[in-house]
Amino acid sequence: MPRSLGGRVRGFLVSWLAKHSSGQKLDDFVRERPEHWLIWEAGPWRPTYQNKDTLEQSNEKLRAPHGADESLAIALDQNGKKPYVSLGRGPDNDVVIDDATLSRLHLLFQRAGVTWTVRDAGSTNGTTVEGARLGPDPVALQPGMRILAGSVRLTFYDSGGLYLRLKGAR
């Protein structure tokens, strides 16, 4: 699960956000949650350390822990201490995702005015944005763009795009 260092990163299950915003109008949702968002899309999880607490093995099938089959919404917030939001499996990142296909420091997100950019931080397994290989040069993100970091699937949204996604969430 993503975690926060210094309280700057907040994450919510998409199903929880959908339930708690079900009666809201778009303008109210955007006013309440003006951030840009990364959705960590549900899918196979490849933890770096597998033990009984993280995965159970039965009948040669792996079952993820409760809630692991749900997408997670991560609010992007660039604090004043550094000019970027880092994502990777290392504990010093702003967004920590313990997945063996991510590098310790995999991605750097940076806000430039109203636009967010992303760049690969020299990862081993690489990153694509909308299917195009991402390198060290920043790429401007548009709402709905899909990022594949290693095998971790992310989607970038502004608050209005997240609202529309939640209205279609299961």
Side-chain angles (χ1 to χ4, degrees):
M1 286 290 239
R3 65 177 181 82
S4 169
L5 293 177
R8 301 303 293 180
V9 175
R10 294 173 296 127
F12 304 91
L13 289 175
V14 169
S15 61
W16 185 90
L17 274 177
K19 179 181 176 183
H20 285 82
S21 65
S22 64
Q24 279 188 314
K25 295 180 181 177
L26 173 62
D27 292 343
D28 295 333
F29 182 85
V30 170
R31 192 171 22 264
E32 184 178 313
R33 301 186 186 283
E35 306 89 352
H36 283 83
W37 297 82
L38 279 179
I39 302 291
W40 178 11
E41 303 292 354
W45 178 45
R46 297 162 186 84
T48 55
Y49 174 67
Q50 296 182 16
N51 67 24
K52 207 172 200 177
D53 294 333
T54 56
L55 295 178
E56 297 177 287
Q57 194 165 355
S58 64
N59 299 331
E60 298 182 26
K61 289 185 178 180
L62 293 176
R63 291 190 323 237
H66 176 70
D69 60 343
E70 290 193 58
S71 296
L72 185 69
I74 303 162
L76 287 175
D77 187 8
Q78 186 174 316
N79 66 35
K81 294 180 183 175
K82 55 186 179 177
Y84 56 83
V85 174
S86 60
L87 182 145
R89 63 179 167 81
D92 294 333
N93 289 295
D94 299 305
V95 179
V96 177
I97 298 177
D98 184 24
D99 187 285
T101 65
L102 288 179
S103 292
R104 290 178 206 267
L105 173 58
H106 202 104
L107 294 174
L108 296 172
F109 295 89
Q110 189 167 5
R111 187 176 195 142
V114 296
T115 303
W116 279 88
T117 62
V118 63
R119 67 181 179 90
D120 191 282
S123 68
T124 301
N125 290 325
T127 304
T128 61
V129 175
E130 291 295 314
R133 189 77 154 164
L134 184 63
D137 295 327
V139 170
L141 292 170
Q142 299 297 319
M145 287 184 115
R146 294 170 190 219
I147 303 163
L148 183 63
S151 294
V152 174
R153 296 178 304 130
L154 305 162
T155 309
F156 177 80
Y157 288 103
D158 60 11
S159 56
L162 177 62
Y163 175 86
L164 296 174
R165 159 94 184 243
L166 295 174
K167 293 306 168 189
R170 291 170 267 196

